[in-house]
Every structure is written in structure tokens, then in C-alpha cells.
Amino acid sequence: SLQALYAAFEDSWRSEQGDVTGSLDPTQLVSYQLIQEWAVKRQVWIQSQSLTAPPSLRLLLLGTAGPGKTPTAKLAIARARRVIGSFHSVLTVAYSGVAAANLGDGARTVDSIFHTNTEHAMDDLMGEELDKLVGLLREVQLLVIDEVSTLGAAQFEIMSRRLEQVGKVLWRARHGHASPDSLNGFGGIGVVLI
């Protein structure tokens, strides 16, 4: 059953957790644990090939400069990648190249992935453009956006719409039929905003 798979997977990752969280304060630890619990549920959902809605994660990490948002995110990202079993399962983006570099591990700018600053950015992708984005995001289960306060509402909407398009293509490929009308935003993947 799905519950038995979840319990076995959770026991496994808890025993491997070790002391990497020792540097986190209590609030950071809660954020880390929320992401890890979601990753376990997501991996079980993937393995079960369930037709139910995927586990949802919408997390906002806020704080002034210097309290450890990025280090907390880095630890959680590494763990989520390990639990899900793929480096490409987590897409890390930021508004600027500097913030992307600070996130490290292949982080890119929002525009380099979603092309939010083009003349036709608000139009749905079709054909080769959509196929290219689907290929790029095929394995993504979690989107981490740093510097979210620098993104405009239009860019945020474009990212959600693009991911919704990708999610619907992948749903059809995985399940052999059309997806639900909505995958609950962002194509059904988890989202962490920093």
C-alpha cells in the first residue's frame, strides 16, 4: 500500500540523516524537515505511479540578510535530490546571476529557463519550444526560487503557466490520457520561495 511504502521510505531516510542539520536553528530545521518529508512523499508517489494528485509543497522562507536562508535551502536541496534519487529533480533559479551563483549546484536565472522577458512571453508555448522545455524540465519535482522579492507578478505567472504546460505534457506521457484541467499551479511540482 502507499502508506506502507511511505513508512519504509521515511524510516530509511531518517536513519541516513546523520548530523547535517546540527548547524540549523529550530526554525531552519522545521523548514528543512518540511522539505524532506515532502520529498519522501513525492518519491513514494512517483514510485507508485499513482493517478492521484501529487503531494503538494508551497514553502516561503523569509528573513533579513544573513540569517541562513540560503544555507538552509542548500541543505534541503541536497537532501531532496538524494531522497528523490536525481540531481535534476530540483531546479534552482534566481532573478540574478549573482544569486544563482550563490545557490550553486547548477542554479540558473529565471529568464534563462522560462524566457520571461521576451515579446511573446505571455503566450503559451507550442511545438518545438514546448518540447525543448519539457525535455529540460522532465525530471524536475521541486522548484526553488531565490530572490523571489525581485520577481514581478508577470514573471511569476509565466513560470507557473510554463510549468503547468510541461506538467500536462508529462502527465499525458506517463498516464496515457489527458491530465486534469489544473495540476494545482506550477505543473504539480513543489515550490520553495526564498
Side-chain angles (χ1 to χ4, degrees), residues 34 38 41-42 53-59 183-185 188-191:
L34 284 170
W38 170 86
K41 291 175 185 175
R42 187 72 178 208
S56 179
L57 175 68
R58 301 293 186 262
L59 183 61
L183 296 172
N184 296 324
I189 68 171
V191 180

Side-chain angles (χ1 to χ4, degrees), residues 17-32:
Q17 192 165 319
D19 194 47
V20 298
T21 60
S23 63
L24 300 178
D25 71 26
T27 303
Q28 293 166 335
L29 185 59
V30 168
S31 298
Y32 176 89

Side-chain angles (χ1 to χ4, degrees), residues 49-51 167-180:
Q49 297 183 358
S50 175
L51 293 175
K168 287 180 179 184
V169 169
L170 294 175
W171 183 281
R172 180 179 290 281
R174 290 178 183 143
H175 301 294
H177 59 82
S179 70

Side-chain angles (χ1 to χ4, degrees), residues 55-174:
S56 179
L57 175 68
R58 301 293 186 262
L59 183 61
L60 182 60
L61 296 175
L62 294 177
T64 59
K69 297 179 301 292
T70 299
T72 300
K74 284 181 174 183
L75 281 173
I77 289 165
R79 190 65 189 158
R81 285 175 167 153
R82 189 165 177 203
V83 168
I84 295 173
S86 167
F87 179 85
H88 299 291
S89 64
V90 181
L91 174 62
T92 53
V93 298
Y95 180 75
S96 73
V98 171
N102 287 340
L103 267 176
D105 287 335
R108 310 232 336 237
T109 64
V110 168
D111 197 51
S112 72
I113 301 286
F114 298 102
H115 306 288
T116 58
N117 290 321
T118 64
E119 182 180 347
H120 300 287
M122 293 302 287
D123 298 340
D124 283 343
L125 296 178
M126 298 170 82
E128 189 176 315
E129 285 182 315
L130 180 56
D131 292 343
K132 186 176 175 181
L133 190 60
V134 168
L136 183 65
L137 303 179
R138 181 172 303 281
E139 292 183 51
V140 174
Q141 302 296 322
L142 177 63
L143 173 65
V144 178
I145 305 171
D146 198 6
E147 289 190 327
V148 70
S149 64
T150 60
L151 290 177
Q155 287 177 304
F156 208 68
E157 174 63 17
I158 291 166
M159 288 190 309
S160 182
R161 287 179 60 198
R162 297 270 193 267
L163 286 165
E164 197 75 7
Q165 282 185 275
V166 168
K168 287 180 179 184
V169 169
L170 294 175
W171 183 281
R172 180 179 290 281
R174 290 178 183 143

